[in-house]
Amino acid sequence: MFFSYYFNKYESVLQKNNQEIALQSKIQSLKKNVLDKEKKLKEIALTSSEKVTNKINEISQLIPNTILLDEFQYQPILKKGKEDNLSIFDPNKIVIKGITTDAIDFTNWIESLSQQKFIKEVTIIDFGKNESQELSFIIYIYLNETK
């Protein structure tokens, strides 16, 4: 009986110890998760907002009157994160969707975008008549690396 009492106490202490070890492991994992997320956020923030704003302004100044934008996304989401994960963004990419009333103006606009020094590449993803018989488009603009 005497040994049984101490054995039970020993088992109880051992169980608590194992629970604390598991808890410490979970805390370490959560800390690592937080550090990873902070690192990703810092990477996103490293892109100088002033430089980006200037580039977006330059792009918007090149848009002819015959083009109407529906969507303008800078660093679109590549992969939506779950509740505990951070979303992954596509750095140095702009997605533009819209409509145009003049295909020649659209072509000239793409050409002028392609000639900008800060733009690496312009890709037309979609161009054609939509349900409303308007000329709709989707383009991707890849910016040169920002430092």
Side-chain angles (χ1 to χ4, degrees), residues 59-137:
I59 290 170
S60 64
Q61 289 175 358
L62 295 172
I63 300 171
N65 293 335
T66 57
I67 292 177
L68 177 65
L69 301 185
D70 294 328
E71 192 174 311
F72 191 107
Q73 289 184 34
Y74 174 66
Q75 290 185 335
I77 296 174
L78 270 177
K79 182 179 175 187
K80 185 89 171 160
K82 294 181 181 169
E83 205 172 288
D84 58 342
N85 288 337
L86 201 60
S87 296
I88 299 172
F89 296 90
D90 195 354
N92 301 313
K93 181 178 179 182
I94 296 174
V95 177
I96 299 178
K97 297 178 184 179
I99 57 173
T100 182
T101 56
D102 188 337
I104 293 172
D105 278 355
F106 177 79
T107 303
N108 291 338
W109 177 53
I110 297 298
E111 183 66 30
S112 65
L113 287 172
S114 298
Q115 293 173 357
Q116 299 301 307
K117 291 180 182 177
F118 63 90
I119 294 177
K120 184 183 205 177
E121 179 184 348
V122 178
T123 305
I124 300 171
I125 302 302
D126 185 33
F127 184 81
K129 289 191 176 185
N130 61 16
E131 308 85 40
S132 306
Q133 298 303 308
E134 301 168 314
L135 287 173
S136 65
F137 64 87

Side-chain angles (χ1 to χ4, degrees), residues 26-38:
K26 185 163 181 135
I27 289 171
Q28 290 300 322
S29 173
L30 290 171
K31 282 182 180 179
K32 183 184 179 306
N33 234 357
V34 167
L35 290 174
D36 289 346
K37 289 179 182 182
E38 284 177 349

